[in-house]
């Protein structure tokens, strides 16, 4: 494990117990938390993307703001739903955010999670082609996005342009060299991880797998990671890929921790149904510091990944979430080989 960051779902609720009662609260506090974790020595700030929900949605204004207010940490998403995306516009937004941050963007994309509304992508003007599923459409959008990121010219310039053009076909601007190698796919199964490797994308795996073989979550996820790396080697890619996993980790060091997460100390994997199929959910790691260190030492997927994303309860506010991250990077992560 080389890097540790946080992953925020960006919830807001107009309720007295919530520190984020509006979208404005979430956006400003997300920037403040990114600044805080950079000061703490952590490595990344990542944000979920959900449409039609009281959560973070369009990520690029936030990513650009975080990139402008920080200097070192990676900034990213986990994940952008490609069913909703115009690949050309996404290329321009991603290029701009990456350049503002100085090349620190780590962009997680995927087919997306179950939606808040029925076929929400249609409201964004995207319809699957004849005989195509919404997942097929997401992969088609992704293929075009990856092509555009390469920066090759493809558009015929106007004979009467408003501004002078360079010679040859034109590409989308701004182009950010190297961004293509910092695209991640959120894979929920072993087969999708193999497909991800074939496309030359990094692997992002969360606390949910959309399959269940009866083994513990971390063992199934470790198998997913190994299959990804085997497929990467078989595809003949020359660079070394990256792999991230997400975990909910809450060291109990004071009364606040105990009040919020004391009931999670006996957490275990859960099996449920998503989109009609069995899925396995990873457990929450909550307890005394030595207990968490011992438990995570046996997590084979965390050991196999190079990046650990800590899911944070953003509605508890910046100070508390910075406290959680500080506890992990100060007391837990060094014992697992970080730094």
């Amino acid at each position: 494990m080389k890097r540790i960051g946080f992953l925020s779902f960006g919830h807001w609720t107009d309720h007295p117990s919530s520190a984020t009662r509006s979208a404005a609260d979430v956006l400003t506090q997300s920037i403040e938390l990114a600044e805080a974790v950079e000061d703490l020595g952590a490595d990344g700030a990542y944000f979920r993307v959900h449409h039609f929900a009281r959560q973070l949605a369009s990520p690029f204004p936030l990513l650009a703001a975080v990139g402008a207010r920080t200097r070192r940490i990676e900034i990213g998403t986990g994940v952008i739903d490609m069913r909703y995306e115009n690949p050309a516009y996404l290329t321009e937004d991603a290029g701009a955010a990456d350049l503002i941050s100085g090349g620190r963007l780590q962009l997680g994309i995927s087919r997306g999670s179950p939606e808040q509304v029925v076929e929400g992508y249609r409201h964004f003007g995207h319809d699957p082609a004849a005989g195509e599923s919404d997942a097929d459409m997401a992969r088609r959008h992704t293929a075009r996005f990856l092509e555009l990121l390469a920066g090759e010219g493809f558009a015929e310039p106007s004979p009467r342009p408003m501004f002078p053009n360079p010679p040859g076909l034109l590409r989308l601007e701004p182009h950010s060299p190297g961004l293509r190698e910092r695209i991640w796919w959120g894979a929920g199964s072993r087969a999708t991880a193999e497909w991800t490797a074939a496309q030359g994308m990094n692997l992002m795996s969360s606390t949910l797998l959309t399959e269940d073989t009866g083994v513990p979550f971390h063992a199934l996820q470790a198998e997913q990671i190994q299959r990804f790396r085997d497929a990467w080697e078989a595809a003949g890619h020359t660079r070394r890929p990256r792999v991230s996993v997400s975990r909910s980790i809450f060291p109990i060091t004071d009364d606040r921790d105990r009040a919020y997460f004391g009931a999670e100390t006996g957490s275990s994997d859960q099996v449920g149904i998503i989109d009609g199929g069995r899925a396995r959910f990873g457990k929450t790691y909550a307890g005394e510091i030595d207990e968490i260190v011992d438990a995570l030492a046996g997590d084979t997927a965390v050991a196999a990944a190079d990046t650990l994303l800590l899911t944070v309860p953003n509605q508890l506010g910046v100070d508390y979430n910075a406290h959680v991250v500080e506890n992990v990077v100060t007391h837990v992560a060094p014992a697992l080989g970080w730094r």
Side-chain angles (χ1 to χ4, degrees):
M1 182 174 59
K2 299 176 181 177
R3 297 175 176 87
I4 296 177
F6 73 83
L7 173 63
S8 173
F9 282 50
H11 295 283
W12 74 85
T13 304
D14 186 14
H15 188 277
S17 65
S18 175
T20 53
R21 300 190 187 183
S22 68
D25 289 342
V26 169
L27 290 165
T28 56
Q29 289 186 29
S30 294
I31 297 168
E32 292 167 0
L33 182 58
E35 292 178 294
V37 300
E38 181 170 74
D39 291 342
L40 290 170
D43 305 302
Y46 288 72
F47 304 96
R48 285 295 298 266
V49 179
H50 281 125
H51 301 290
F52 298 104
R54 292 182 177 182
Q55 295 176 240
L56 294 170
S58 178
F60 290 104
L62 174 60
L63 292 171
V66 172
R69 293 269 289 269
T70 58
R71 292 292 176 266
R72 179 185 56 79
I73 59 171
E74 298 177 339
I75 58 174
T77 52
V79 290
I80 294 173
D81 188 334
M82 290 300 290
R83 294 174 294 180
Y84 286 76
E85 294 298 321
N86 177 312
Y89 207 87
L90 181 63
T91 300
E92 293 178 341
D93 277 349
D98 193 42
L99 291 170
I100 288 170
S101 71
R104 291 183 282 131
L105 182 61
Q106 303 286 339
L107 200 66
I109 62 176
S110 190
R111 177 261 185 191
S113 56
E115 299 181 276
Q116 291 295 107
V117 300
V118 177
E119 297 181 335
Y121 47 84
R122 295 186 188 274
H123 296 289
F124 281 57
H126 300 297
D127 296 308
E132 186 181 55
S133 69
D134 63 340
D136 294 333
M137 180 178 67
R139 292 190 178 192
R140 171 166 55 83
H141 287 175
T142 299
R144 182 58 178 155
F145 175 52
L146 297 178
E147 288 176 0
L148 294 172
L149 282 178
E152 299 296 328
F154 64 93
E156 185 71 28
S158 169
R160 294 178 296 278
M162 183 177 294
F163 308 106
N165 282 322
L169 299 176
L170 301 183
R171 68 185 182 189
L172 292 172
E173 301 289 355
H175 173 66
S176 185
L179 179 56
R180 171 62 179 85
E181 295 186 354
R182 286 177 276 115
I183 306 300
W184 305 61
W185 185 266
S189 69
R190 293 164 296 173
T192 303
E194 292 171 332
W195 176 85
T196 301
Q199 311 312 307
M201 291 185 284
N202 301 305
L203 176 65
M204 185 172 281
S205 190
S206 72
T207 55
L208 163 68
L209 290 171
T210 56
E211 57 185 345
D212 177 41
T213 64
V215 302
F217 175 84
H218 73 90
L220 183 58
Q221 191 173 51
E223 181 187 345
Q224 181 197 40
I225 293 170
Q226 188 57 54
R227 288 196 184 194
F228 167 77
R229 289 185 170 138
D230 291 343
W232 184 278
E233 183 176 355
H237 303 306
T238 56
R239 69 177 177 89
R240 183 178 179 83
R242 288 183 59 185
V243 174
S244 74
V245 296
S246 301
R247 291 292 185 271
S248 299
I249 303 173
F250 301 104
I252 295 179
T253 61
D254 61 24
D255 289 340
R256 291 177 303 168
D257 302 328
R258 192 166 292 105
Y260 289 138
F261 299 104
E264 297 289 340
T265 56
S267 175
S268 60
D269 292 355
Q270 300 293 318
V271 176
I273 303 296
I274 290 184
D275 288 341
R278 284 172 62 88
R280 181 167 284 265
F281 303 79
K283 66 181 181 180
T284 295
Y285 289 87
E288 303 297 324
I289 288 172
D290 57 347
E291 295 172 338
I292 289 182
V293 169
D294 288 345
L296 285 171
D299 189 316
T300 53
V302 169
D306 63 75
T307 300
L308 173 63
L309 300 182
L310 306 172
T311 61
V312 294
N314 74 280
Q315 287 182 282
L316 296 181
V318 174
D319 289 345
Y320 183 73
N321 282 288
H323 160 78
V324 170
V325 174
E326 182 176 22
N327 274 340
V328 173
V329 300
T330 302
H331 303 298
V332 176
L336 300 173
W338 180 68
R339 293 286 189 268

